[in-house]
Amino acid sequence: MCIADIQSHCLQYGQAIEQYRACIYLAKLMHYTENYIAVLYRNIAWNYIKANRFEEALSELKKAEEIEKTNSLMILYYIYSYYRLGQIADAKEWISVGRKTLTTTEYRNILALLSGLVRSYGQIPEAKLIQKAAEIYQYYKELGDHEMILFYLDIVIELYEQKEDWQNAYLYLKERVSCTATYQI
């Protein structure tokens, strides 16, 4: 699992997914708890999300959901995957679940961002939405979580591009290049 985690953090999604699948095989063989296996399915889904392979992410999330019905990360992953696939009605259903389930400030903030993304799907994003994405990026920057920094930087950049605010998109793109360079192992 540690190898898979390292590969995932090093943006080696395919290799990480293979390692997580091997972990699932071994976990079943060694009679690990079902919740442990659900974590592995979610980890695979997360790697598919980072690789922009959202159909595959949904497939893994459904496997995790069969084991553990309400997990905070699973809810957020569902929302984001459905949003990226343009399946807005499904994303809204999971937003509704998230509003009832998510309790931590961190996840509630992410839910607010994802809700804004879904609400503004196909439209020019409002400054308030971009600000929310930038706040979440800043939160992870302060934590030093490079994986999440890159993920939310991409969202900020994309929102500025949709708004055709090329100056700010460029500034955040420079930040992403700098962050990627310092994160390389």
Side-chain angles (χ1 to χ4, degrees):
M1 180 122 166
C2 289
I3 292 170
D5 289 344
I6 290 168
Q7 289 171 325
S8 176
H9 290 291
C10 291
L11 315 178
Q12 299 171 354
Y13 309 129
Q15 295 94 326
I17 289 167
E18 287 177 27
Q19 289 294 329
Y20 286 127
R21 289 204 191 286
C23 290
I24 290 170
Y25 172 77
L26 291 172
K28 288 179 178 179
L29 190 66
M30 297 169 57
H31 306 290
Y32 276 48
T33 65
E34 288 290 311
N35 286 349
Y36 180 80
I37 294 169
V39 168
L40 294 168
Y41 283 126
R42 284 192 302 274
N43 287 352
I44 292 171
W46 174 238
N47 278 273
Y48 278 131
I49 288 168
K50 292 187 301 181
N52 295 318
R53 295 172 58 186
F54 302 105
E55 292 284 350
E56 291 97 330
L58 290 173
S59 175
E60 299 301 322
L61 289 170
K62 288 174 184 169
K63 293 174 190 174
E65 184 184 6
E66 288 174 12
I67 298 169
E68 191 176 10
K69 299 290 181 212
T70 56
N71 175 276
S72 299
L73 289 175
M74 181 186 71
I75 292 166
L76 297 172
Y77 295 169
Y78 262 126
I79 296 166
Y80 190 73
S81 294
Y82 281 126
Y83 161 74
R84 294 307 255 168
L85 290 169
Q87 297 175 13
I88 301 307
D90 292 320
K92 286 180 179 179
E93 285 181 35
W94 281 101
I95 288 169
S96 188
V97 171
R99 285 190 177 126
K100 297 173 193 166
T101 308
L102 302 178
T103 57
T104 68
T105 301
E106 177 183 5
Y107 291 155
R108 300 270 317 158
N109 283 332
I110 294 169
L111 179 64
L113 171 63
L114 296 178
S115 297
L117 291 172
V118 169
R119 194 173 38 258
S120 70
Y121 184 80
Q123 301 171 17
I124 296 172
E126 296 178 5
K128 194 170 159 181
L129 178 60
I130 298 171
Q131 180 183 355
K132 185 63 159 173
E135 287 171 6
I136 293 172
Y137 151 69
Q138 192 63 40
Y139 169 79
Y140 285 112
K141 185 176 179 182
E142 289 170 10
L143 287 179
D145 187 335
H146 291 290
E147 183 178 28
M148 299 305 279
I149 289 168
L150 293 174
F151 185 78
Y152 287 101
L153 263 173
D154 286 342
I155 292 174
V156 172
I157 293 165
E158 184 176 343
L159 290 171
Y160 276 124
E161 288 173 345
Q162 289 173 0
K163 193 170 181 150
E164 296 184 4
D165 182 343
W166 306 117
Q167 183 176 6
N168 280 313
Y170 175 73
L171 291 173
Y172 279 96
L173 188 55
K174 279 179 40 180
E175 179 74 17
R176 190 188 197 295
V177 169
S178 173
C179 185
T180 304
T182 59
Y183 187 52
Q184 298 274 325
I185 295 178

PDB file of all heavy atoms in Angstrom, residues 102-128:
ATOM      1  N   LEU A 102     -21.617  15.401   5.236  1.00  0.00           N
ATOM      2  CA  LEU A 102     -20.287  15.965   5.492  1.00  0.00           C
ATOM      3  C   LEU A 102     -20.336  16.930   6.666  1.00  0.00           C
ATOM      4  O   LEU A 102     -21.164  17.835   6.704  1.00  0.00           O
ATOM      5  CB  LEU A 102     -19.765  16.673   4.247  1.00  0.00           C
ATOM      6  CG  LEU A 102     -19.664  15.796   2.989  1.00  0.00           C
ATOM      7  CD1 LEU A 102     -19.191  16.615   1.801  1.00  0.00           C
ATOM      8  CD2 LEU A 102     -18.758  14.606   3.218  1.00  0.00           C
ATOM      9  N   THR A 103     -19.414  16.734   7.596  1.00  0.00           N
ATOM     10  CA  THR A 103     -19.443  17.536   8.809  1.00  0.00           C
ATOM     11  C   THR A 103     -18.178  18.367   9.019  1.00  0.00           C
ATOM     12  O   THR A 103     -18.240  19.401   9.678  1.00  0.00           O
ATOM     13  CB  THR A 103     -19.648  16.639  10.048  1.00  0.00           C
ATOM     14  OG1 THR A 103     -18.613  15.654  10.091  1.00  0.00           O
ATOM     15  CG2 THR A 103     -21.011  15.959  10.009  1.00  0.00           C
ATOM     16  N   THR A 104     -17.048  17.946   8.509  1.00  0.00           N
ATOM     17  CA  THR A 104     -15.821  18.706   8.773  1.00  0.00           C
ATOM     18  C   THR A 104     -15.808  19.976   7.929  1.00  0.00           C
ATOM     19  O   THR A 104     -16.361  20.022   6.829  1.00  0.00           O
ATOM     20  CB  THR A 104     -14.554  17.885   8.461  1.00  0.00           C
ATOM     21  OG1 THR A 104     -14.468  17.660   7.053  1.00  0.00           O
ATOM     22  CG2 THR A 104     -14.546  16.556   9.210  1.00  0.00           C
ATOM     23  N   THR A 105     -15.144  20.991   8.437  1.00  0.00           N
ATOM     24  CA  THR A 105     -15.032  22.263   7.724  1.00  0.00           C
ATOM     25  C   THR A 105     -14.343  22.064   6.381  1.00  0.00           C
ATOM     26  O   THR A 105     -14.776  22.627   5.365  1.00  0.00           O
ATOM     27  CB  THR A 105     -14.249  23.279   8.575  1.00  0.00           C
ATOM     28  OG1 THR A 105     -14.938  23.446   9.818  1.00  0.00           O
ATOM     29  CG2 THR A 105     -14.122  24.618   7.877  1.00  0.00           C
ATOM     30  N   GLU A 106     -13.283  21.257   6.373  1.00  0.00           N
ATOM     31  CA  GLU A 106     -12.546  21.000   5.129  1.00  0.00           C
ATOM     32  C   GLU A 106     -13.472  20.439   4.047  1.00  0.00           C
ATOM     33  O   GLU A 106     -13.518  20.953   2.932  1.00  0.00           O
ATOM     34  CB  GLU A 106     -11.402  20.020   5.413  1.00  0.00           C
ATOM     35  CG  GLU A 106     -10.614  19.613   4.182  1.00  0.00           C
ATOM     36  CD  GLU A 106      -9.540  18.584   4.495  1.00  0.00           C
ATOM     37  OE1 GLU A 106      -9.454  18.093   5.651  1.00  0.00           O
ATOM     38  OE2 GLU A 106      -8.779  18.255   3.575  1.00  0.00           O
ATOM     39  N   TYR A 107     -14.219  19.409   4.379  1.00  0.00           N
ATOM     40  CA  TYR A 107     -15.081  18.773   3.382  1.00  0.00           C
ATOM     41  C   TYR A 107     -16.285  19.638   3.028  1.00  0.00           C
ATOM     42  O   TYR A 107     -16.758  19.623   1.897  1.00  0.00           O
ATOM     43  CB  TYR A 107     -15.529  17.391   3.853  1.00  0.00           C
ATOM     44  CG  TYR A 107     -14.398  16.379   3.891  1.00  0.00           C
ATOM     45  CD1 TYR A 107     -14.454  15.286   4.731  1.00  0.00           C
ATOM     46  CD2 TYR A 107     -13.266  16.513   3.085  1.00  0.00           C
ATOM     47  CE1 TYR A 107     -13.429  14.349   4.771  1.00  0.00           C
ATOM     48  CE2 TYR A 107     -12.241  15.591   3.120  1.00  0.00           C
ATOM     49  CZ  TYR A 107     -12.325  14.513   3.965  1.00  0.00           C
ATOM     50  OH  TYR A 107     -11.313  13.589   3.996  1.00  0.00           O
ATOM     51  N   ARG A 108     -16.787  20.409   3.993  1.00  0.00           N
ATOM     52  CA  ARG A 108     -17.904  21.314   3.696  1.00  0.00           C
ATOM     53  C   ARG A 108     -17.450  22.401   2.715  1.00  0.00           C
ATOM     54  O   ARG A 108     -18.208  22.802   1.840  1.00  0.00           O
ATOM     55  CB  ARG A 108     -18.457  21.951   4.975  1.00  0.00           C
ATOM     56  CG  ARG A 108     -18.980  20.981   5.991  1.00  0.00           C
ATOM     57  CD  ARG A 108     -20.366  20.551   6.000  1.00  0.00           C
ATOM     58  NE  ARG A 108     -21.418  21.487   5.795  1.00  0.00           N
ATOM     59  CZ  ARG A 108     -22.600  21.076   5.376  1.00  0.00           C
ATOM     60  NH1 ARG A 108     -22.834  19.810   5.149  1.00  0.00           N
ATOM     61  NH2 ARG A 108     -23.566  21.933   5.205  1.00  0.00           N
ATOM     62  N   ASN A 109     -16.202  22.885   2.865  1.00  0.00           N
ATOM     63  CA  ASN A 109     -15.667  23.880   1.935  1.00  0.00           C
ATOM     64  C   ASN A 109     -15.515  23.289   0.533  1.00  0.00           C
ATOM     65  O   ASN A 109     -15.831  23.942  -0.464  1.00  0.00           O
ATOM     66  CB  ASN A 109     -14.333  24.430   2.437  1.00  0.00           C
ATOM     67  CG  ASN A 109     -14.509  25.437   3.536  1.00  0.00           C
ATOM     68  OD1 ASN A 109     -15.531  26.116   3.623  1.00  0.00           O
ATOM     69  ND2 ASN A 109     -13.527  25.538   4.399  1.00  0.00           N
ATOM     70  N   ILE A 110     -15.026  22.075   0.463  1.00  0.00           N
ATOM     71  CA  ILE A 110     -14.892  21.416  -0.847  1.00  0.00           C
ATOM     72  C   ILE A 110     -16.274  21.199  -1.450  1.00  0.00           C
ATOM     73  O   ILE A 110     -16.477  21.420  -2.649  1.00  0.00           O
ATOM     74  CB  ILE A 110     -14.110  20.096  -0.723  1.00  0.00           C
ATOM     75  CG1 ILE A 110     -12.663  20.380  -0.306  1.00  0.00           C
ATOM     76  CG2 ILE A 110     -14.149  19.321  -2.046  1.00  0.00           C
ATOM     77  CD1 ILE A 110     -11.874  19.148   0.096  1.00  0.00           C
ATOM     78  N   LEU A 111     -17.231  20.785  -0.628  1.00  0.00           N
ATOM     79  CA  LEU A 111     -18.602  20.606  -1.113  1.00  0.00           C
ATOM     80  C   LEU A 111     -19.158  21.918  -1.661  1.00  0.00           C
ATOM     81  O   LEU A 111     -19.817  21.930  -2.704  1.00  0.00           O
ATOM     82  CB  LEU A 111     -19.502  20.071   0.008  1.00  0.00           C
ATOM     83  CG  LEU A 111     -20.967  19.855  -0.367  1.00  0.00           C
ATOM     84  CD1 LEU A 111     -21.115  18.777  -1.447  1.00  0.00           C
ATOM     85  CD2 LEU A 111     -21.788  19.483   0.865  1.00  0.00           C
ATOM     86  N   ALA A 112     -18.885  23.030  -0.983  1.00  0.00           N
ATOM     87  CA  ALA A 112     -19.347  24.340  -1.466  1.00  0.00           C
ATOM     88  C   ALA A 112     -18.740  24.649  -2.830  1.00  0.00           C
ATOM     89  O   ALA A 112     -19.435  25.141  -3.726  1.00  0.00           O
ATOM     90  CB  ALA A 112     -18.999  25.430  -0.463  1.00  0.00           C
ATOM     91  N   LEU A 113     -17.463  24.350  -2.998  1.00  0.00           N
ATOM     92  CA  LEU A 113     -16.819  24.563  -4.296  1.00  0.00           C
ATOM     93  C   LEU A 113     -17.450  23.675  -5.366  1.00  0.00           C
ATOM     94  O   LEU A 113     -17.812  24.156  -6.449  1.00  0.00           O
ATOM     95  CB  LEU A 113     -15.316  24.285  -4.210  1.00  0.00           C
ATOM     96  CG  LEU A 113     -14.575  24.255  -5.550  1.00  0.00           C
ATOM     97  CD1 LEU A 113     -14.642  25.607  -6.252  1.00  0.00           C
ATOM     98  CD2 LEU A 113     -13.137  23.805  -5.357  1.00  0.00           C
ATOM     99  N   LEU A 114     -17.591  22.396  -5.062  1.00  0.00           N
ATOM    100  CA  LEU A 114     -18.165  21.476  -6.051  1.00  0.00           C
ATOM    101  C   LEU A 114     -19.604  21.855  -6.390  1.00  0.00           C
ATOM    102  O   LEU A 114     -20.014  21.760  -7.552  1.00  0.00           O
ATOM    103  CB  LEU A 114     -18.075  20.034  -5.545  1.00  0.00           C
ATOM    104  CG  LEU A 114     -16.661  19.477  -5.349  1.00  0.00           C
ATOM    105  CD1 LEU A 114     -16.720  18.058  -4.801  1.00  0.00           C
ATOM    106  CD2 LEU A 114     -15.863  19.527  -6.644  1.00  0.00           C
ATOM    107  N   SER A 115     -20.351  22.290  -5.395  1.00  0.00           N
ATOM    108  CA  SER A 115     -21.729  22.747  -5.642  1.00  0.00           C
ATOM    109  C   SER A 115     -21.731  23.937  -6.591  1.00  0.00           C
ATOM    110  O   SER A 115     -22.557  24.008  -7.506  1.00  0.00           O
ATOM    111  CB  SER A 115     -22.410  23.146  -4.333  1.00  0.00           C
ATOM    112  OG  SER A 115     -22.528  22.056  -3.470  1.00  0.00           O
ATOM    113  N   GLY A 116     -20.794  24.864  -6.386  1.00  0.00           N
ATOM    114  CA  GLY A 116     -20.671  26.019  -7.274  1.00  0.00           C
ATOM    115  C   GLY A 116     -20.280  25.613  -8.684  1.00  0.00           C
ATOM    116  O   GLY A 116     -20.799  26.167  -9.659  1.00  0.00           O
ATOM    117  N   LEU A 117     -19.381  24.647  -8.803  1.00  0.00           N
ATOM    118  CA  LEU A 117     -18.993  24.160 -10.126  1.00  0.00           C
ATOM    119  C   LEU A 117     -20.198  23.551 -10.853  1.00  0.00           C
ATOM    120  O   LEU A 117     -20.423  23.823 -12.030  1.00  0.00           O
ATOM    121  CB  LEU A 117     -17.870  23.116 -10.015  1.00  0.00           C
ATOM    122  CG  LEU A 117     -16.503  23.616  -9.576  1.00  0.00           C
ATOM    123  CD1 LEU A 117     -15.556  22.443  -9.334  1.00  0.00           C
ATOM    124  CD2 LEU A 117     -15.912  24.569 -10.608  1.00  0.00           C
ATOM    125  N   VAL A 118     -20.946  22.752 -10.136  1.00  0.00           N
ATOM    126  CA  VAL A 118     -22.120  22.104 -10.729  1.00  0.00           C
ATOM    127  C   VAL A 118     -23.154  23.159 -11.108  1.00  0.00           C
ATOM    128  O   VAL A 118     -23.720  23.127 -12.204  1.00  0.00           O
ATOM    129  CB  VAL A 118     -22.707  21.052  -9.759  1.00  0.00           C
ATOM    130  CG1 VAL A 118     -24.073  20.568 -10.223  1.00  0.00           C
ATOM    131  CG2 VAL A 118     -21.734  19.883  -9.599  1.00  0.00           C
ATOM    132  N   ARG A 119     -23.400  24.093 -10.213  1.00  0.00           N
ATOM    133  CA  ARG A 119     -24.399  25.147 -10.456  1.00  0.00           C
ATOM    134  C   ARG A 119     -24.031  25.999 -11.675  1.00  0.00           C
ATOM    135  O   ARG A 119     -24.890  26.411 -12.442  1.00  0.00           O
ATOM    136  CB  ARG A 119     -24.527  26.016  -9.202  1.00  0.00           C
ATOM    137  CG  ARG A 119     -25.714  26.921  -9.163  1.00  0.00           C
ATOM    138  CD  ARG A 119     -25.890  27.647  -7.832  1.00  0.00           C
ATOM    139  NE  ARG A 119     -24.669  28.102  -7.175  1.00  0.00           N
ATOM    140  CZ  ARG A 119     -24.082  27.486  -6.135  1.00  0.00           C
ATOM    141  NH1 ARG A 119     -24.601  26.380  -5.646  1.00  0.00           N
ATOM    142  NH2 ARG A 119     -22.990  27.968  -5.601  1.00  0.00           N
ATOM    143  N   SER A 120     -22.738  26.236 -11.872  1.00  0.00           N
ATOM    144  CA  SER A 120     -22.316  27.107 -12.982  1.00  0.00           C
ATOM    145  C   SER A 120     -21.885  26.324 -14.217  1.00  0.00           C
ATOM    146  O   SER A 120     -21.296  26.912 -15.139  1.00  0.00           O
ATOM    147  CB  SER A 120     -21.168  28.010 -12.512  1.00  0.00           C
ATOM    148  OG  SER A 120     -20.003  27.259 -12.308  1.00  0.00           O
ATOM    149  N   TYR A 121     -22.199  25.042 -14.249  1.00  0.00           N
ATOM    150  CA  TYR A 121     -21.785  24.199 -15.379  1.00  0.00           C
ATOM    151  C   TYR A 121     -22.268  24.804 -16.702  1.00  0.00           C
ATOM    152  O   TYR A 121     -23.434  25.142 -16.857  1.00  0.00           O
ATOM    153  CB  TYR A 121     -22.351  22.781 -15.225  1.00  0.00           C
ATOM    154  CG  TYR A 121     -21.877  21.841 -16.297  1.00  0.00           C
ATOM    155  CD1 TYR A 121     -20.625  21.256 -16.229  1.00  0.00           C
ATOM    156  CD2 TYR A 121     -22.684  21.545 -17.388  1.00  0.00           C
ATOM    157  CE1 TYR A 121     -20.174  20.397 -17.209  1.00  0.00           C
ATOM    158  CE2 TYR A 121     -22.243  20.683 -18.376  1.00  0.00           C
ATOM    159  CZ  TYR A 121     -20.988  20.120 -18.278  1.00  0.00           C
ATOM    160  OH  TYR A 121     -20.545  19.267 -19.264  1.00  0.00           O
ATOM    161  N   GLY A 122     -21.349  24.962 -17.631  1.00  0.00           N
ATOM    162  CA  GLY A 122     -21.675  25.494 -18.951  1.00  0.00           C
ATOM    163  C   GLY A 122     -21.806  27.002 -18.996  1.00  0.00           C
ATOM    164  O   GLY A 122     -22.187  27.555 -20.021  1.00  0.00           O
ATOM    165  N   GLN A 123     -21.527  27.683 -17.882  1.00  0.00           N
ATOM    166  CA  GLN A 123     -21.628  29.135 -17.817  1.00  0.00           C
ATOM    167  C   GLN A 123     -20.265  29.725 -17.463  1.00  0.00           C
ATOM    168  O   GLN A 123     -19.366  29.014 -17.042  1.00  0.00           O
ATOM    169  CB  GLN A 123     -22.634  29.543 -16.749  1.00  0.00           C
ATOM    170  CG  GLN A 123     -24.026  28.994 -16.966  1.00  0.00           C
ATOM    171  CD  GLN A 123     -24.915  29.254 -15.757  1.00  0.00           C
ATOM    172  OE1 GLN A 123     -24.613  30.084 -14.905  1.00  0.00           O
ATOM    173  NE2 GLN A 123     -26.020  28.536 -15.680  1.00  0.00           N
ATOM    174  N   ILE A 124     -20.155  31.007 -17.626  1.00  0.00           N
ATOM    175  CA  ILE A 124     -18.931  31.700 -17.208  1.00  0.00           C
ATOM    176  C   ILE A 124     -18.934  31.747 -15.682  1.00  0.00           C
ATOM    177  O   ILE A 124     -19.912  32.201 -15.073  1.00  0.00           O
ATOM    178  CB  ILE A 124     -18.866  33.119 -17.804  1.00  0.00           C
ATOM    179  CG1 ILE A 124     -18.776  33.031 -19.328  1.00  0.00           C
ATOM    180  CG2 ILE A 124     -17.687  33.897 -17.229  1.00  0.00           C
ATOM    181  CD1 ILE A 124     -18.891  34.355 -20.039  1.00  0.00           C
ATOM    182  N   PRO A 125     -17.857  31.270 -15.045  1.00  0.00           N
ATOM    183  CA  PRO A 125     -17.851  31.231 -13.579  1.00  0.00           C
ATOM    184  C   PRO A 125     -17.812  32.627 -12.959  1.00  0.00           C
ATOM    185  O   PRO A 125     -17.177  33.538 -13.486  1.00  0.00           O
ATOM    186  CB  PRO A 125     -16.564  30.456 -13.249  1.00  0.00           C
ATOM    187  CG  PRO A 125     -15.726  30.541 -14.468  1.00  0.00           C
ATOM    188  CD  PRO A 125     -16.647  30.728 -15.628  1.00  0.00           C
ATOM    189  N   GLU A 126     -18.496  32.756 -11.851  1.00  0.00           N
ATOM    190  CA  GLU A 126     -18.507  34.021 -11.122  1.00  0.00           C
ATOM    191  C   GLU A 126     -17.236  34.149 -10.291  1.00  0.00           C
ATOM    192  O   GLU A 126     -16.604  33.150  -9.929  1.00  0.00           O
ATOM    193  CB  GLU A 126     -19.733  34.080 -10.202  1.00  0.00           C
ATOM    194  CG  GLU A 126     -21.048  34.076 -10.956  1.00  0.00           C
ATOM    195  CD  GLU A 126     -22.243  34.081 -10.018  1.00  0.00           C
ATOM    196  OE1 GLU A 126     -22.047  34.182  -8.780  1.00  0.00           O
ATOM    197  OE2 GLU A 126     -23.362  33.983 -10.524  1.00  0.00           O
ATOM    198  N   ALA A 127     -16.890  35.387  -9.959  1.00  0.00           N
ATOM    199  CA  ALA A 127     -15.682  35.661  -9.172  1.00  0.00           C
ATOM    200  C   ALA A 127     -15.729  34.941  -7.828  1.00  0.00           C
ATOM    201  O   ALA A 127     -14.704  34.466  -7.331  1.00  0.00           O
ATOM    202  CB  ALA A 127     -15.528  37.165  -8.972  1.00  0.00           C
ATOM    203  N   LYS A 128     -16.896  34.824  -7.238  1.00  0.00           N
ATOM    204  CA  LYS A 128     -17.068  34.178  -5.943  1.00  0.00           C
ATOM    205  C   LYS A 128     -16.657  32.700  -5.997  1.00  0.00           C
ATOM    206  O   LYS A 128     -16.025  32.190  -5.069  1.00  0.00           O
ATOM    207  CB  LYS A 128     -18.536  34.311  -5.527  1.00  0.00           C
ATOM    208  CG  LYS A 128     -18.852  34.002  -4.117  1.00  0.00           C
ATOM    209  CD  LYS A 128     -20.290  34.424  -3.855  1.00  0.00           C
ATOM    210  CE  LYS A 128     -20.870  33.714  -2.670  1.00  0.00           C
ATOM    211  NZ  LYS A 128     -22.243  34.083  -2.408  1.00  0.00           N
TER     212      LYS A 128
END
